[in-house]
Amino acid sequence: MKPISLCVYCGSRPGVSPVHAEAARSVGHEIGRRGWQLVYGGGRAGLMGVVADAALAAGATVVGVIPTSLMDRELGHIGLTELHVVDTMHQRKTLMAERSDAFLALPGGIGTFEELFEVWTWRQLGYHDKPIGLLNAAGYYDAMLGFLRHSEAQGFMAAEQNALLQVDSDPVALVERLGALAPLATAPDDYRQI
Ligand code: AMP
């Protein structure tokens, strides 16, 4: 079976609690241990660097995609298997999605939220049918998950859409679950409509 290519979205900062870097390390390690590929934003800053370095150390191939304008700010990682330097953020996000079989958001800030919600809405609109995970490390996303339930209760979001998001606080269990779901995605990607 073809190795799974997992796209990880995460903070360009490390966060306050060391729990988050530990979770990022664990995800990178799991990707390498399983012989999978990591696709991510291509930087060395914050949790991005942690997940990439852990994946490389565990033997994963790592594909980074970064816009030219962010090479300095996010410290473009020159030790990756592939580093794609693209012109725009839209090219970055499309290439990351095309190269991935599943998506996983770790703790992060608004860049991470945007990437998670975008790939989730792309699924709602039928542009892909790949699994999407949210690592709720140390309850970081509890408040957001509460708001999503509120949105559903208020009739702005279908229960099925909410249920599509695979949520777990345990990195190993979540990577395992995404690996089981990824081969079930059969619809061809069609990001050209976006
Ligand atoms: P943050 O979670 O804010 O630390 O950002 C994490 C990653 O998301 C970084 O690689 C940012 O470059 C990226 N990012 C920031 N803004 C956006 C955006 N509008 N769309 C997609 N990614 C973004």
Side-chain angles (χ1 to χ4, degrees):
M1 208 170 64
K2 173 179 160 289
I4 287 171
S5 186
L6 180 62
C7 180
V8 173
Y9 302 128
C10 61
S12 56
R13 300 165 182 239
V16 173
S17 168
V19 165
H20 300 309
E22 197 38 58
R25 239 186 309 277
S26 174
V27 167
H29 181 79
E30 281 302 305
I31 292 170
R33 193 177 68 78
R34 290 157 196 267
W36 293 2
Q37 174 168 273
L38 168 68
V39 175
Y40 85 116
R44 271 191 295 119
L47 296 189
M48 296 172 75
V50 175
V51 71
D53 287 337
L56 287 168
T61 57
V62 179
V63 177
V65 186
I66 191 165
T68 314
S69 58
L70 292 180
M71 276 294 280
D72 290 339
R73 180 152 32 124
E74 296 187 357
L75 313 173
H77 198 313
I78 53 166
L80 306 178
T81 319
E82 296 174 32
L83 179 65
H84 299 269
V85 182
V86 295
D87 291 332
T88 67
M89 191 60 94
H90 283 290
Q91 288 171 351
R92 176 198 230 182
K93 293 188 289 186
T94 305
L95 184 56
M96 287 169 71
E98 283 172 348
R99 294 291 302 265
S100 305
D101 303 308
F103 305 95
L104 172 57
L106 309 187
I110 57 172
T112 305
F113 307 156
E114 199 270 352
E115 290 168 316
L116 168 68
F117 280 98
E118 183 171 63
V119 83
W120 195 8
T121 56
W122 284 352
R123 178 151 175 181
Q124 173 173 253
L125 297 171
Y127 297 147
H128 72 89
D129 68 346
K130 300 168 186 173
I132 304 167
L134 179 70
L135 184 67
N136 189 20
Y140 176 69
Y141 283 114
D142 282 350
M144 187 179 87
L145 291 166
F147 180 75
L148 290 168
R149 283 192 296 274
H150 171 70
S151 169
E152 186 188 318
Q154 289 298 311
F156 284 107
M157 187 176 174
E160 302 75 50
Q161 191 60 33
N162 223 350
L164 278 178
L165 191 65
Q166 308 295 323
V167 183
D168 209 303
S169 57
D170 176 10
V172 181
L174 188 52
V175 168
E176 174 82 31
R177 186 154 19 128
L178 293 173
L181 290 171
L184 306 179
T186 51
D189 296 3
D190 194 359
Y191 305 112
R192 285 163 309 165
Q193 297 180 61
I194 295 165

